[in-house]
């Protein structure tokens, strides 16, 4: 999608601090980190939100979670714990309309979220 900031990062039009890449996803450090580890994992194809997940593309979700857990182990936050967050839609706090999951860790996470 031409005006999508995450599509632009995927195709290299704008820089992204990549920490992982394969044929289906990339992971980048968040530009405005909310925790010592704050990584975004996103599909290379433009999927607007979890509401666009269907039987044709649902495999991407398990893949994203697998990558997130692998990154958590690499970053050393797997033992103490971490949080994986998806914001969906305006009231859910989604500000970039390209599906992504936040991997947050390295500090104690409050509950409930704000
Ligand atoms: P959302 O609010 O949609 O769940 O999350 C969007 C996230 O993308 C935010 O945490 C924001 O800091 C991050 N973000 C926005 N623009 C950029 C960018 O250009 N590069 C990177 N690495 N992160 C971005
Ligand atoms: Zn996109």
């Amino acid at each position: 999608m031409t005006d999508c900031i995450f599509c632009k990062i995927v195709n290299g039009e704008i820089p992204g601090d990549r920490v992982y890449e394969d044929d289906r996803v990339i992971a980048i450090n968040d530009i405005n980190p909310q925790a010592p580890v704050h990584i975004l994992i996103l599909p290379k194809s433009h999927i607007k939100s979890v509401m666009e997940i269907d039987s044709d593309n649902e495999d991407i979700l398990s893949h994203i979670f697998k990558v997130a857990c692998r990154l958590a182990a690499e970053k050393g936050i797997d033992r103490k714990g971490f949080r994986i967050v998806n914001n969906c839609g305006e009231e859910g706090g989604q500000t970039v309309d390209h599906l992504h999951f936040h991997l947050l860790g390295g500090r104690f996470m409050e509950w409930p979220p704000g």
Side-chain angles (χ1 to χ4, degrees), residues 16 20 23 34 42 49 51-52 76 81 85-87 99 102-103 105 109 112:
Y20 177 83
D23 56 328
Q34 302 300 312
L42 50 126
S49 79
M51 290 305 293
E52 286 193 354
V85 173
N86 171 254
N87 298 322
L99 178 67
H102 301 251
L103 170 65
M109 296 292 155

Side-chain angles (χ1 to χ4, degrees), residues 93-112:
Q94 184 173 6
T95 58
V96 179
D97 286 340
H98 178 130
L99 178 67
H100 54 281
F101 286 76
H102 301 251
L103 170 65
L104 295 149
R107 67 167 171 81
F108 194 89
M109 296 292 155
E110 305 290 334
W111 191 264

Side-chain angles (χ1 to χ4, degrees), residues 5-6 9 14-17 28-34 38 40 85-88 92-98 100 102:
I5 194 165
F6 285 177
I9 290 175
I14 60 171
D17 185 8
I28 55 175
N29 282 316
D30 197 291
I31 205 168
N32 181 24
Q34 302 300 312
H38 188 171
L40 304 173
V85 173
N86 171 254
N87 298 322
C88 180
Q94 184 173 6
T95 58
V96 179
D97 286 340
H98 178 130
H100 54 281
H102 301 251

